Amino acid sequence: MSYTPTLEKQYKEQIVPALMKEFGYKTVMQVPRLEKIVLNQGVGDAVADKKLVDVAVNELTTITGQKAVPRYSKKDISNFKLRKGMPIGASVTLRRDNMYEFLERLIRVALPRIRDFKGVNSKLDGRGNYTLGVEEQIIFPEINIDSVNKIMGMNITFVTSGKTDEEAYALLREFGLPFKNLKKN
């Protein structure tokens, strides 16, 4: 018997029927699904210190359990002392089981650890995708606070197959993402 993440099981058994009822879908294939989660960490200070990108890659790898890759600048920008090909950040794309495992850890463990947490903003991008900005990487329990030498933020983007923001919002709400102003149905 193969292992299935808890949120994937919940998606198939509870979320799909709830969304079919809410939006009046005729088939299961119309229900929006979570396609991938992308974590991006920009390291602006990497222009001066190249080791910061290695630290960002190691932290993202520790948080997600999947190898992160460094990102490089695409062009020269003289005002920022940036040259083409310099490392400026790190990113990792999660799909399938890793994606569901990370989402569960984010919702159940990491987000409640944020100080004065009142929920996440409910603004989507117009195409059914949602980006969440995290100001401190230390909200994740995998990061050892003593070994952190610089607090860095990251963007977490949820890419869904929803055609509209309403569909994607309903999907993420059903997964348990704590939005600030939950729309009452």
Side-chain angles (χ1 to χ4, degrees):
M1 189 167 132
S2 66
Y3 168 74
T4 307
T6 312
L7 281 182
E8 187 175 8
K9 216 177 289 179
Q10 180 184 339
Y11 173 74
K12 290 176 181 167
E13 295 170 2
Q14 298 168 0
I15 296 174
V16 168
L19 291 179
M20 283 183 75
K21 183 178 175 198
E22 184 178 337
F23 290 101
Y25 297 128
K26 292 182 174 35
T27 175
V28 178
M29 298 306 286
Q30 288 178 304
V31 177
R33 67 187 178 283
L34 196 57
E35 292 180 342
K36 63 184 175 181
I37 297 177
V38 181
L39 282 83
N40 267 318
Q41 193 168 33
V43 187
D45 298 339
V47 174
D49 187 7
K50 306 262 187 283
K51 291 182 183 76
L52 287 176
V53 172
D54 297 335
V55 170
V57 167
N58 289 337
E59 284 180 351
L60 280 181
T61 302
T62 304
I63 289 169
T64 60
Q66 181 174 313
K67 182 79 170 108
V69 294
R71 293 293 175 189
Y72 301 97
S73 62
K74 294 179 180 172
K75 58 184 179 179
D76 297 346
I77 303 174
S78 63
N79 289 351
F80 299 119
K81 296 181 179 133
L82 190 65
R83 297 285 162 250
K84 183 177 182 179
M86 288 178 77
I88 54 170
S91 81
V92 61
T93 302
L94 303 172
R95 298 175 199 269
R96 300 183 193 89
D97 289 356
N98 285 350
M99 170 183 70
Y100 287 111
E101 291 292 332
F102 173 77
L103 181 60
E104 185 168 14
R105 283 195 323 263
L106 178 73
I107 292 170
R108 302 219 167 111
V109 180
L111 288 179
R113 288 177 60 155
I114 296 176
R115 262 181 275 130
D116 302 329
F117 184 67
K118 293 180 177 64
V120 296
N121 290 327
S122 55
K123 185 85 174 100
L124 282 81
D125 72 346
R127 295 189 197 100
N129 304 317
Y130 178 67
T131 300
L132 166 68
V134 175
E135 293 177 8
E136 301 176 337
Q137 81 274 30
I138 57 174
I139 64 166
F140 293 98
E142 297 89 357
I143 299 291
N144 183 5
I145 296 174
D146 298 333
S147 65
V148 172
N149 55 1
K150 186 176 191 311
I151 301 289
M152 293 189 286
M154 67 180 72
N155 288 338
I156 303 171
T157 303
F158 303 92
V159 179
T160 69
S161 64
K163 301 280 185 264
T164 64
D165 281 353
E166 291 78 32
E167 292 174 343
Y169 180 86
L171 173 69
L172 294 173
R173 181 194 67 220
E174 291 294 325
F175 269 124
L177 210 62
F179 289 108
K180 275 183 187 163
N181 312 332
L182 270 178
K183 296 174 185 163
K184 304 289 184 254
N185 292 339

